[in-house]
Amino acid sequence: MTAASIDCDKSAKEMELSATEKSKRLAQTGTCRIHSLCHLRPLIALLALSLSGCGDKPPQPAAAGPPPVTVVQPTKRTVTDWDEFTGRFEAVEEVQVRARVGGFVTSVEFRDGAFVNPGDLLYVIDARPFEAVAEQADGQLADARARAELARRELDRALTLNQTQAVSDSIVDQRRQTLQAAKAAQMQAEGLLKAAKLNIEFSHAVAPIGGRVSRRLVTVGNLVQGSDGGSTLLTSIVSLDPIYVYFDMDEATYVRNNRLYFEGKRPSSREHPNPVEITLVGETKPSHEGKMDFVDNRLDVSTGTLRGRAVIPNKDYSILPGQFGRVRLIGSSPYEALLIPDIAIATDQSRKIVFVVKDDDTVEAKPVVLGPLDEGLRVIREGLKPEDRVIVDGIQRARVGAKVAPHAPAAAPAAPAGGKT
């Protein structure tokens, strides 16, 4: 009994000890869990935020408005059409100075490329041979005059004697014939003397016209040939003021201008000095003005063009024969037209179009017929109305049928350089 009691006491103590140890272990385990949860608290909060964000939808972007475009209304003003051609300038007067008598050149009296006036001395050819011939011709003329005077006196005597029949009529006729022969010989001698004097004059080559002279082609000491043996070219002279410009007009332009003339819408260049404007090479706008003064009488069958000519004042001698230039000839009478900036014109295959904003701010494409440029703006012959609002900026954002936000330009568009075309 005693032993059994002791065993029971030991079992009870052991059970108490085991219960106490279990409580401590449970307490330690709880403390560790609490410490672990404290360390995981930030992660839990971040996970909660992430989960809450996954449940929300992304914000929708605000709806875009109509694209902005710049619009202008067509400009209405009086314009004149011009036809443009390529022309070449030529001198009104051009002379090749050639030797008219043969001989040795003794002097050159001009500076290469200088301006000369009519009558200025250019070349001097040795005139001594011609002076000798002139003296000989002068002697022959004196002899012929003496013979003529003797024949006249003998005829007068014969006429006086014939009144008393002292001299027959046949003698009178002979004396009259001798006088006529003497007069003919006198005229021949006078001609020889005049030719000799002309040769002396031709030994001094002078400028027949005023203008700019070329370089000397023959220098002092060279032998030149006269007109009898193929005259030698000495130099050349061209006039510069005024100057001609020649150009070729295509047949279609000629037919159109001719039709306008018969309709009374354009004066003919044959009857009226129509104005022309000249743009030289390297220029962007016309710098010279002139007038038409010639139209050929037929078209060139090889090119199908009609040759025309205008005369241009050249006071400053800035234009030289042989230069090229752009010739603008009036192509119509003044008329009212609508004009828009050239940047507003687009190409749709083979036609030209402009984009117009209608009253409801939608875009419409209108085909147009173009005219020439006038002071930087393009003439619109057909397709537009004065009240149309034409898109000039933002064409790439405009879509036919879509709405846009039109507004006027901040400043008037500057006209590009180049003037009328």
Side-chain angles (χ1 to χ4, degrees):
M1 293 285 294
T2 305
S5 325
I6 293 169
D7 290 335
C8 289
D9 292 335
K10 288 181 180 179
S11 299
K13 289 180 181 179
E14 289 177 358
M15 290 179 63
E16 289 176 1
L17 289 174
S18 61
T20 303
E21 289 177 357
K22 287 181 180 180
S23 299
K24 289 181 180 180
R25 289 176 182 176
L26 288 175
Q28 290 177 354
T29 302
T31 304
C32 292
R33 287 179 179 176
I34 292 173
H35 285 300
S36 299
L37 288 176
C38 290
H39 288 299
L40 292 177
R41 188 176 300 166
L43 295 177
I44 294 173
L46 181 61
L47 181 60
L49 289 175
S50 300
L51 291 176
S52 63
C54 292
D56 296 338
K57 293 183 179 180
Q60 296 293 332
V69 294
T70 304
V71 296
V72 297
Q73 289 186 325
T75 302
K76 185 176 182 181
R77 66 166 175 250
T78 302
V79 299
T80 302
D81 289 343
W82 296 80
D83 298 318
E84 190 166 346
F85 312 96
T86 299
R88 180 188 288 274
F89 293 97
E90 293 188 14
V92 174
E93 294 179 314
E94 181 176 358
V95 174
Q96 292 183 339
V97 181
R98 294 181 179 272
R100 303 182 69 174
V101 293
F104 286 93
V105 176
T106 60
S107 177
V108 180
E109 301 294 333
F110 69 93
R111 181 175 58 85
D112 293 353
F115 275 94
V116 295
N117 297 315
D120 286 353
L121 181 61
L122 302 178
Y123 279 89
V124 177
I125 300 172
D126 188 5
R128 289 176 296 176
F130 310 113
E131 291 172 353
V133 173
E135 290 179 1
Q136 183 181 2
D138 194 17
Q140 293 175 354
L141 176 60
D143 180 66
R145 285 174 178 172
R147 292 176 182 276
E149 181 63 20
L150 177 60
R152 186 185 61 78
R153 289 179 180 180
E154 289 180 350
L155 177 59
D156 290 343
R157 284 194 214 90
L159 289 174
T160 302
L161 294 174
N162 182 258
Q163 292 178 357
T164 61
Q165 296 298 319
V167 175
S168 63
D169 292 342
S170 61
I171 294 176
V172 173
D173 292 339
Q174 290 176 0
R175 301 285 173 83
R176 185 177 285 112
Q177 190 274 336
T178 302
L179 176 60
Q180 291 176 351
K183 287 183 177 180
Q186 179 182 346
M187 293 177 61
Q188 185 178 5
E190 289 175 350
L192 291 174
L193 178 59
K194 184 179 292 184
K197 289 182 177 179
L198 282 176
N199 287 337
I200 296 174
E201 181 181 345
F202 293 158
S203 66
H204 291 68
V206 298
I209 63 171
R212 190 183 293 276
V213 68
S214 182
R215 65 182 180 90
R216 62 189 74 185
L217 301 178
V218 178
T219 56
V220 175
N222 285 284
L223 179 64
V224 297
Q225 298 292 327
S227 57
D228 295 335
S231 58
T232 304
L233 179 62
L234 303 177
T235 187
S236 62
I237 304 173
V238 293
S239 64
L240 295 180
D241 183 32
I243 193 169
Y244 286 145
V245 57
Y246 287 89
F247 60 92
D248 294 325
M249 179 187 306
D250 59 275
E251 185 175 356
T253 302
Y254 166 72
V255 172
R256 175 174 57 82
N257 290 342
N258 206 34
R259 184 179 65 253
L260 293 175
Y261 164 71
F262 285 110
E263 294 175 354
K265 298 179 180 179
R266 180 186 181 276
S268 172
S269 296
R270 298 184 187 275
E271 303 173 358
H272 186 271
N274 285 330
V276 298
E277 295 181 349
I278 306 297
T279 304
L280 301 179
V281 174
E283 295 179 342
T284 58
K285 59 182 179 180
S287 59
H288 293 75
E289 296 180 352
K291 295 180 180 180
M292 290 291 298
D293 76 330
F294 166 75
V295 178
D296 211 345
N297 59 356
R298 59 176 296 172
L299 272 74
D300 189 333
V301 295
S302 60
T303 61
T305 57
L306 181 67
R307 176 63 57 89
R309 184 183 73 192
V311 59
I312 311 298
N314 190 26
K315 300 294 184 182
D316 56 356
Y317 308 125
S318 61
I319 305 176
L320 294 178
Q323 279 187 245
F324 282 99
R326 298 295 296 174
V327 181
R328 299 177 65 245
L329 172 63
I330 183 173
S332 71
S333 297
Y335 64 95
E336 293 290 331
L338 297 178
L339 304 95
I340 62 174
D342 218 15
I343 59 174
I345 300 170
T347 301
D348 182 14
Q349 295 182 353
S350 61
R351 63 176 185 170
K352 300 294 183 179
I353 61 173
V354 296
F355 293 98
V356 177
V357 179
K358 298 192 296 185
D359 294 338
D360 58 355
D361 290 343
T362 58
V363 178
E364 178 186 7
K366 285 191 174 183
V368 292
V369 178
L370 305 183
L373 280 173
D374 185 87
E375 296 183 358
L377 298 178
R378 177 68 65 177
V379 175
I380 304 299
R381 299 194 186 278
E382 298 178 8
L384 282 184
K385 298 178 182 179
E387 63 272 11
D388 285 338
R389 295 183 296 171
V390 180
I391 300 177
V392 295
D393 187 20
I395 296 178
Q396 67 278 7
R397 297 189 295 269
R399 297 291 181 270
V400 176
K403 287 204 171 197
V404 292
H407 60 86
K420 298 182 179 180
T421 300

